[in-house]
Amino acid sequence: MNMPVLETTKTRARPHTKVSAKTQAITLARSEDLPLGSILAGDCVEAMRSLPDNSVDCVFADPPYNLQLGGDLNRPDGSQVDAVTDHWDQFDSFAVYDKFTREWLTEARRVLKPDGALWVIGSYHNIFRVGAILQDLGFWILNDIVWRKTNPMPNFKGTRFTNAHETLIWASQGEKARYQFNYRAMKTLNDELQMRSDWSMPICAGQERLKHDGHKAHPTQKPEALLYRVMLATTEKGDVVLDPFFGTGTTGAVAKRLGRNWIGCEREDFYRDIAMKRIEKELPLDESALETMQSQKSAPRVAFGALVENGYIEPGTQLFDKKRRWIATVRADGSLIYEKQVGSIHGLGKELQGLPSCNGWTFWHLEHGGDVKPVDAIRQIYLLATED
């Protein structure tokens, strides 16, 4: 079934904050009034103006970075770097960029529910300007997340430090606003350690990188693992996620897989076409795999959740001990479920054996490439891939 392209001119565990009667009285838009699973064509500000007030649970925005590149960027061998030189990333001045930022953030604030979440990602070129403006508009910053790229592009000229990270801002609607945070799922995803605000994962590459005529379809395509973690942390199944800068549809693809609803805004026909084809191929996870843990050292260290969110082990995969006494199912947050018992790869293995500890990496096995391998073998594949 093709997704339409539209032309345009819960009871949850939350921080203990009070909500005003005014906020409680706001009538939220019904999901049937929303263009779910659609890409709104045209300028994102105008597109968002077509949406009702208080209608989405999460906004994930990857706005133009306004890179201010001067001339071509070349490698030492003279070859040209495929950088962001598209017209959509070019603004005449900081004032023009700030005006645009204020306009789309104003609409994002309007369409977000009172307990909704805003995520914005950017580089040093723009994230500080965006952060100041969103604070001026009343958003309350909950965290800034450093996405440390394990395989960044080098600084070819050797004139600066290698730019190896980008910054995400996670914000609520205000200082007293309620918001969703799936703390337990994040801890499980991180092998029972509290998730930190520095996230190490590779840039989009390999089969995940969309190509057109042998070239990158989009210069700043984000890795699905990044969106996987964002949505698993701050949304629930059935929530509505809006992406005002949809690009090639990473947000929509991950949302579909995780059972979230999505709406995109994208003015470029080329990107909309690629995004639609990409999302149509995406398969949602089985209902049981979507369940997550609820709230209650080797070097380099890798969390089992990293294999799940990067697609090396799919949710729904069955893991078993070497003698196949127990067969457990991998869930979306990296937890395992065996009958009614749930835990991490280490915790569940320990409970099933009645032992004080368990190395889940070697205890659990899976079918891979026609052979039975310990989960640690997949970890080694992941490590080799991220060392490049």
Side-chain angles (χ1 to χ4, degrees), residues 5 9 18 30 61 63 76 84 90 101 126 130 148 154 168 175 184 188 200 206 210 239 276 299 302 323 346 353 388:
V5 176
T9 49
K18 296 182 179 179
R30 298 174 303 172
V84 184
Q90 298 171 0
T101 300
N126 73 322
V130 173
R148 187 170 66 81
L168 297 93
E175 182 180 3
R184 194 68 185 83
T188 305
S200 295
L210 300 179
D239 279 355
M276 289 172 66
V302 176
K323 296 181 179 179
H346 312 296
Q353 297 177 92
D388 296 336

Side-chain angles (χ1 to χ4, degrees), residues 215-227:
H215 299 284
K216 296 177 183 177
H218 195 291
T220 62
Q221 181 183 336
K222 296 301 180 290
E224 292 188 2
L226 189 69
L227 273 297

Side-chain angles (χ1 to χ4, degrees), residues 11-288:
T11 301
R12 302 174 174 178
R14 303 180 185 277
H16 298 291
T17 54
K18 296 182 179 179
V19 182
S20 67
K22 179 180 178 180
T23 297
Q24 291 175 332
I26 292 176
T27 301
L28 304 181
R30 298 174 303 172
S31 61
E32 54 264 36
D33 297 330
L34 298 172
L36 301 179
S38 300
I39 307 174
L40 309 182
D43 175 77
C44 71
V45 176
E46 290 301 318
M48 284 192 284
R49 285 173 180 161
S50 70
L51 300 176
D53 295 353
N54 314 307
S55 58
V56 304
D57 299 281
C58 178
V59 172
F60 180 87
D62 184 10
Y65 287 5
N66 191 25
L67 293 180
Q68 310 117 47
L69 294 178
D72 294 334
L73 182 61
N74 297 310
R75 299 181 178 87
D77 63 5
S79 61
Q80 188 171 332
V81 177
D82 186 12
V84 184
T85 57
D86 303 82
H87 63 90
W88 47 259
D89 192 64
Q90 298 171 0
F91 294 81
D92 291 337
S93 65
F94 286 129
V96 173
Y97 185 81
D98 291 350
K99 179 177 181 294
F100 168 71
T101 300
R102 184 173 293 274
E103 288 177 348
W104 75 258
L105 278 171
T106 296
E107 285 306 306
R109 184 166 174 80
R110 180 186 64 79
V111 300
L112 269 173
K113 295 177 182 178
D115 57 358
L118 171 74
W119 286 85
V120 186
I121 185 170
S123 70
Y124 66 87
H125 300 88
N126 73 322
I127 197 64
F128 303 109
R129 308 188 76 85
V130 173
I133 292 171
L134 67 83
Q135 286 182 308
D136 289 343
L137 292 174
F139 286 103
W140 187 258
I141 296 178
L142 300 168
N143 274 118
D144 66 323
I145 306 294
V146 174
W147 166 30
R148 187 170 66 81
K149 303 172 184 179
T150 58
N151 53 344
M153 181 187 296
N155 184 275
F156 294 107
K157 294 183 178 180
T159 55
R160 303 183 186 181
F161 297 111
T162 295
N163 185 27
H165 77 277
E166 291 185 31
T167 301
L168 297 93
I169 294 175
W170 172 36
S172 67
Q173 285 276 49
E175 182 180 3
K176 303 296 184 181
R178 303 171 73 195
Y179 58 89
Q180 178 80 19
F181 179 48
N182 301 323
Y183 168 80
R184 194 68 185 83
M186 288 296 97
K187 189 173 181 181
T188 305
L189 194 70
N190 199 39
D191 276 0
E192 296 302 328
L193 291 177
Q194 190 175 76
M195 183 73 77
R196 292 163 36 132
S197 63
D198 53 335
W199 298 353
S200 295
M201 57 183 68
I203 61 174
C204 186
Q207 292 185 344
E208 185 183 336
R209 169 67 75 172
L210 300 179
K211 298 290 185 66
H212 180 75
D213 293 336
H215 299 284
K216 296 177 183 177
H218 195 291
T220 62
Q221 181 183 336
K222 296 301 180 290
E224 292 188 2
L226 189 69
L227 273 297
Y228 188 106
R229 189 174 296 187
V230 165
M231 289 188 206
L232 204 65
T234 57
T235 66
E236 291 184 327
K237 181 177 177 293
D239 279 355
V240 179
V241 181
L242 168 68
D243 187 337
F245 308 95
F246 203 60
T248 53
T250 302
T251 298
V254 176
K256 183 178 178 181
R257 190 190 315 159
L258 290 177
R260 276 65 168 165
N261 294 301
W262 62 269
I263 303 170
C265 305
E266 179 52 55
R267 72 183 192 181
E268 303 293 328
D269 295 342
F270 174 67
Y271 293 150
R272 289 201 305 273
D273 182 60
I274 289 177
M276 289 172 66
K277 292 176 180 176
R278 174 187 186 181
I279 297 169
E280 284 173 351
K281 296 177 181 177
E282 189 68 46
L283 296 176
L285 296 179
D286 181 81
E287 289 286 330
S288 61

